[in-house]
Amino acid sequence: MTIASALRVRGRRISLAALAALLCLPALPAAADPSPAAPAPAAPSPPGARAVSWVPCDPPDEGARCGSVAVPVNWDHPSASGSAQVRIAVRPARDRARRVGVLMFNPGGPGAGAADIAAREDWAEFWFPSELLDRFDVVGVDPRGVPGSTPVVCADPVDPEVSRFPRTPAEARRLSEANSAFAASCLKGTGPLAAHLDTDIVARDLDAVRAALGEPTISFLGVSYGTMLAQAYAERYPSRVRALVLDGVVDRSLPPARLVLDGAAAVQDGLARFAARCAATEACVLRGKDVTAELRRMDARAERGEVRAGGRAVTAEELRLAVNDGLNTPLADGMLAAGIRDAVDRGDGTALTSLSRYQAWSEYARYRAIICQDVPRARATALVGLADAAGRRGPVLRGASEMWDIVSGCAGWPGPSRWTPHAWRVPATVTPLLLSGAHDVATPRRWAESVHRGLPGSTLVRWDGDGHAAWPAHNRCAMRAAVTYLTDLTPPASTTCPADQAVTGAGS
């Protein structure tokens, strides 16, 4: 689900500092020029919603408008809970005569914003094919909790001394207590907003933005975590959905154990794919070596305290989780291979840990504070057996996966989860287009297949190749299918796509 992490790596891997900054997805405190475009007929505003407060974008961009919308902290008690600010950026359709409507999007995470992508022309042109920029007002929203909007403020969520893969009930209790303490830090640093960050609440914020813009309906592109937000919006506001694209689909009907086991198997597959790419690529620094054996050597060195980064010894768990993050995109293959080599041969974990989401701890703190309100909680007492089962499904990284990170990181979180697992509950008028990669390590193909079966009006485009989600860098064929669907509401003629030959990995 952390497409932002995968793409942050892509920025460092292939080029420009500006592109790297884009893919880190920082949310700058900005907004837009109250320019042109006549508004569509107004739709009724949700109780508690207000109009957009327009301000200049920062940096200035004559092609975008930026602003914010005030929303209630607690939508169930809007007048008594105080308010939060939700930052938005609107890039009006370039071809006004052929304008379709509004396209909102969420790039994944959670904890990543979308306003900067819409506000900056170069970033928007990287993310969106020209047909979408021509035909839609592209609307980027920084969800509540994300800088740019009213942010959540938490302590560092990662303590290397606390095992994320408990082997005993005592270790599981310690992890649960650490998670509970982190949750308390968010509430202390943020106030009541920290308890109101789940996707249903964010969906209500999105509808407040829709109403403030005067739009009767929206089209929506959700990537990874954004597919969870899409489900929440479509279930609450089905009549306001014109079109939905779900890329890197999360199946929210599944219990924690199934999510973890599916994730571990997907990572095992992704690691085998990485090893094969390395073996076939002359520039790969691990070419000719047994990648599995190298990772076991890395584990052994780390467990002896012989791998260091940032002035301290890093644990084997930290390194395995960094490898998992590096598998999100083949565009990071060169960095991943070099990081493994450095850890094994030199005891230097700097390059490898730079791939980890934990390195940007404030971003990861937001990720955890949000996602833990949106997944069913595993009991601390169940973590030991679940860790063992995940290790059998994904033996090379001993069960490391994004879903393990989520489930283990949310055990002990106070209060019940706001989400009860269920399949989509939407009328037949909601007909999403789903995009799914064959070897997605974060959102496995079987999740998309399951969601597709539960939505009779949906279309599933299956693309071959590697990488977490097609958008915006892993499969242009799948993206083209989405463009056609969004602009014309026409399902693609073909529902299969070959691997994108422009996406290569394993080089230095």
Side-chain angles (χ1 to χ4, degrees):
M1 290 185 308
T2 52
I3 187 65
S5 297
L7 295 178
R8 181 169 60 248
V9 172
R10 182 188 190 277
R12 289 200 295 260
R13 167 69 175 84
I14 63 169
S15 54
L16 308 162
L19 182 58
L22 160 62
L23 298 174
C24 288
L25 300 176
L28 302 176
D33 194 282
S35 54
S45 296
R50 301 176 188 173
V52 181
S53 299
W54 297 108
V55 298
C57 290
D58 181 15
D61 188 312
E62 64 182 15
R65 299 179 290 160
C66 296
S68 64
V69 174
V71 295
V73 167
N74 184 346
W75 276 100
D76 293 333
H77 303 284
S79 61
S81 63
S83 65
Q85 295 295 318
V86 173
R87 180 187 171 223
I88 69 171
V90 181
R91 180 161 293 276
R94 297 182 299 203
D95 186 345
R96 303 305 294 170
R98 301 173 65 231
R99 176 185 181 273
V100 173
V102 160
L103 174 62
M104 289 190 186
F105 70 102
N106 181 280
D116 281 330
I117 296 174
R120 294 186 54 161
E121 184 175 23
D122 54 343
W123 294 10
E125 289 180 346
F126 173 78
W127 259 83
F128 296 102
S130 60
E131 299 95 317
L132 296 183
L133 294 174
D134 286 344
R135 304 288 301 280
F136 287 91
D137 294 349
V138 174
V139 179
V141 178
D142 289 347
R144 59 169 65 202
V146 175
S149 297
T150 303
V152 64
V153 179
C154 306
D156 188 339
V158 179
D159 181 353
E161 299 302 315
V162 177
S163 173
R164 299 295 299 277
F165 295 82
R167 292 164 293 183
T168 66
E171 288 185 345
R173 285 194 301 272
R174 190 179 179 197
L175 175 58
S176 179
E177 290 164 0
N179 292 339
S180 180
F182 169 71
S185 81
C186 298
L187 190 61
K188 179 180 179 180
T190 310
L193 179 74
H196 298 279
L197 298 171
D198 64 274
T199 52
D200 183 64
I201 290 172
V202 175
R204 297 174 83 166
D205 291 350
L206 292 184
D207 201 58
V209 171
R210 174 206 59 78
L213 293 173
E215 296 292 335
T217 62
I218 66 168
S219 298
F220 188 83
L221 165 64
V223 181
S224 195
Y225 164 79
T227 69
M228 298 168 61
L229 182 54
Q231 181 175 357
Y233 189 90
E235 289 188 340
R236 185 172 277 277
Y237 306 110
S239 66
R240 295 172 189 167
V241 174
R242 174 188 170 271
L244 283 180
V245 173
L246 313 175
D247 182 15
V249 184
V250 181
D251 183 356
R252 302 187 79 196
S253 72
L254 300 178
R258 173 68 181 277
L259 293 168
V260 163
L261 297 180
D262 286 352
V267 170
Q268 183 74 9
D269 171 64
L271 196 57
R273 300 276 299 179
F274 164 70
R277 292 194 301 272
C278 236
T281 305
E282 188 172 350
C284 181
V285 298
L286 295 180
R287 188 171 188 237
K289 296 185 177 182
D290 182 332
V291 171
T292 296
E294 292 300 291
L295 288 168
R296 287 176 178 152
R297 289 179 62 201
M298 179 190 77
D299 268 2
R301 287 204 69 170
E303 287 170 356
R304 294 193 299 266
E306 296 175 359
V307 182
R308 301 186 66 82
R312 67 173 180 86
V314 292
T315 67
E317 285 184 11
E318 290 177 276
L319 295 176
R320 290 195 294 269
L321 287 165
V323 171
N324 170 66
D325 281 347
L327 292 173
N328 272 288
T329 174
L331 296 165
D333 278 359
M335 292 184 67
L336 178 56
I340 295 169
R341 176 204 60 192
D342 289 352
V344 172
D345 294 347
R346 305 172 189 167
D348 183 357
T350 305
L352 189 52
T353 55
S354 74
L355 299 176
S356 174
R357 72 195 72 186
Y358 300 144
Q359 294 304 296
W361 74 261
S362 60
E363 179 182 324
Y364 180 65
R366 297 192 296 272
Y367 170 91
R368 179 88 72 80
I370 295 169
I371 201 66
C372 285
Q373 297 183 39
D374 260 315
V375 295
R377 311 269 165 71
R379 299 187 313 276
T381 52
L383 289 180
V384 176
L386 189 53
D388 183 61
R392 291 194 297 273
R393 288 288 186 96
V396 177
L397 294 186
R398 302 189 192 183
S401 71
E402 182 166 6
M403 286 315 307
W404 175 258
D405 178 72
I406 291 170
V407 170
S408 68
C410 296
W413 198 268
S417 169
R418 295 181 184 273
W419 180 260
T420 300
H422 66 266
W424 283 58
R425 297 168 179 165
V426 294
T429 53
V430 178
T431 56
L433 179 70
L434 285 60
L435 312 179
S436 176
H439 303 283
D440 189 323
V441 300
T443 51
R445 168 69 62 78
R446 66 188 302 171
W447 295 354
E449 297 282 3
S450 173
V451 171
H452 175 48
R453 287 193 298 272
L455 288 170
S458 66
T459 301
L460 174 58
V461 174
R462 302 167 179 87
W463 57 272
D464 199 8
D466 301 283
H468 172 37
W471 221 281
H474 289 139
N475 196 274
R476 291 172 295 180
C477 169
M479 291 173 64
R480 282 195 298 272
V483 169
T484 300
Y485 163 77
L486 286 168
T487 53
D488 303 333
L489 295 181
T490 303
S494 173
T495 56
T496 60
C497 283
D500 195 331
Q501 297 306 309
V503 180
T504 57
S508 57

